[in-house]
Amino acid sequence: MKNEVEVVDAARLFDLIQQKLVKAGLPNTQANEVSKHLVFADACGIHSHGAVRVEYYAERISKGGVTLTPQLALEQTGPATGIFHGDNGIGQYVCDEALKEAIKLAHDTGLSLVGVSKMSHSGALSYYVKKAAEQDLIGIAMCQSDPMVVPFGGSDNYFGTNPIAFSAPRKEAPPVVFDMATSVQAWGKILDARSKNEQIPSHWAVDDQGKATTDPYEVKGLLPIAGPKGYGLMMMVDVLAGTLLGLPFGKQVSSMYTDLTEKRNLGQVFLMIDPKRFTDLDDFKEKIDQMVEELHQTSPAPGVEKVLYPGELAQITYEKYMQQGIPIATSIYQYLISPDVHYDQFSGKDSFAK
Ligand code: NAI
């Protein structure tokens, strides 16, 4: 199957997403925030967390699986710590509000650890940590996600693809922003291989026996990055973004599609560090610039044009797409311009069904 795309200007993409979410029932302010976030993700080339999610969000919003007027509140639990109660509002809006509190607390105290308790899917974590670095903080974010990954050596899914993002401010250039799932590949990449009738590499996923598979239709679980190391990181994320906040953990974490009328009760955590409390801020930012420069000067391996800093690919893509337009799969674009809110296709769906 050919992958056809439409190139869409960022402002138009924002409007299309915003209108769809409002039509589904999301209040304007929240729809604005989600739309900004999704456009950012697509502009960075993180298409797994951009406009592709709108129809699913619209269905969940329509069916009551998101609180439309969430009562948000920071419960400050110490000078630098707090739980931001999200009341199962839409993840991007809840997290953006929580981030504001985490940033303020870090500026006040030098450091903050704010857990976001109960929300729906929060999207691409780079969006949040980039904002922190733009305010001269080091930002770290982690969140829970659906249990789709086998533990190292196991054959039943237990942890989610639990992502980790990190940012650091620079002197003149945009911040360094690194953002990854702790599974080798996102589920979306398996779907992509299915749609193209392609085999997948054997280190991505396992079948129902826990055996590595190259057949995307046999996939029943994803694999952690770097074996036991990614597995350990996944647990760390679940402990910080779930257990620490008293939320469901491991295989008790809700699944994206099981019941779209139910709230998801997901957790996320923000760790913000003010470099000024440790060193001179300008000096710190210059050293990050120097680190980037030294990485750029590292001799590339055969077949590689240039060594990039972690996350640089997303930054390069962002600058290009914001200028030239963002490629969006035609099927998604058609949905966005249609009058329909959703096609009732996600609720009760088995993610692993063939
Ligand atoms: P990925 O594998 O595409 O990229 C991981 C990181 O490596 C990125 O920062 C990317 O810019 C960087 N990178 C890639 N190639 C590079 C190169 N040649 N040189 C330097 N850096 C390079 O990302 P992944 O793991 O597929 O995650 C995609 C998104 O999914 C993330 O935004 C993550 O936050 C999000 N996510 C969200 C979840 C949620 O429930 N909210 C769950 C899982 C993932």
Side-chain angles (χ1 to χ4, degrees), residues 46 48-49 121-126 143-145 161 163 177-181 183 185-186 189 308-314:
I46 311 173
S48 55
H49 287 71
H121 184 248
S122 62
L125 297 187
S126 26
C143 78
Q144 295 183 299
S145 78
T161 53
V177 178
F178 179 72
D179 180 17
M180 63 160 205
S183 55
Q185 286 298 352
K189 302 266 172 67
L308 304 175
Y309 68 76
E312 186 170 1
L313 207 54

Side-chain angles (χ1 to χ4, degrees), residues 37 41 44-49 53 57 119-128 143-146 160-165 177-186 189 225 256 264 266 268 304 306-315:
H37 184 122
C44 291
I46 311 173
H47 297 299
S48 55
H49 287 71
R53 302 281 172 156
Y57 290 166
M119 58 169 194
S120 66
H121 184 248
S122 62
L125 297 187
S126 26
Y127 182 81
Y128 310 107
C143 78
Q144 295 183 299
S145 78
D146 321 35
T161 53
N162 300 359
I164 303 175
V177 178
F178 179 72
D179 180 17
M180 63 160 205
T182 47
S183 55
V184 180
Q185 286 298 352
K189 302 266 172 67
I225 49 169
M256 193 164 280
R264 290 211 60 201
L266 294 172
Q268 179 151 320
V304 176
K306 180 184 176 187
V307 172
L308 304 175
Y309 68 76
E312 186 170 1
L313 207 54
Q315 179 62 31

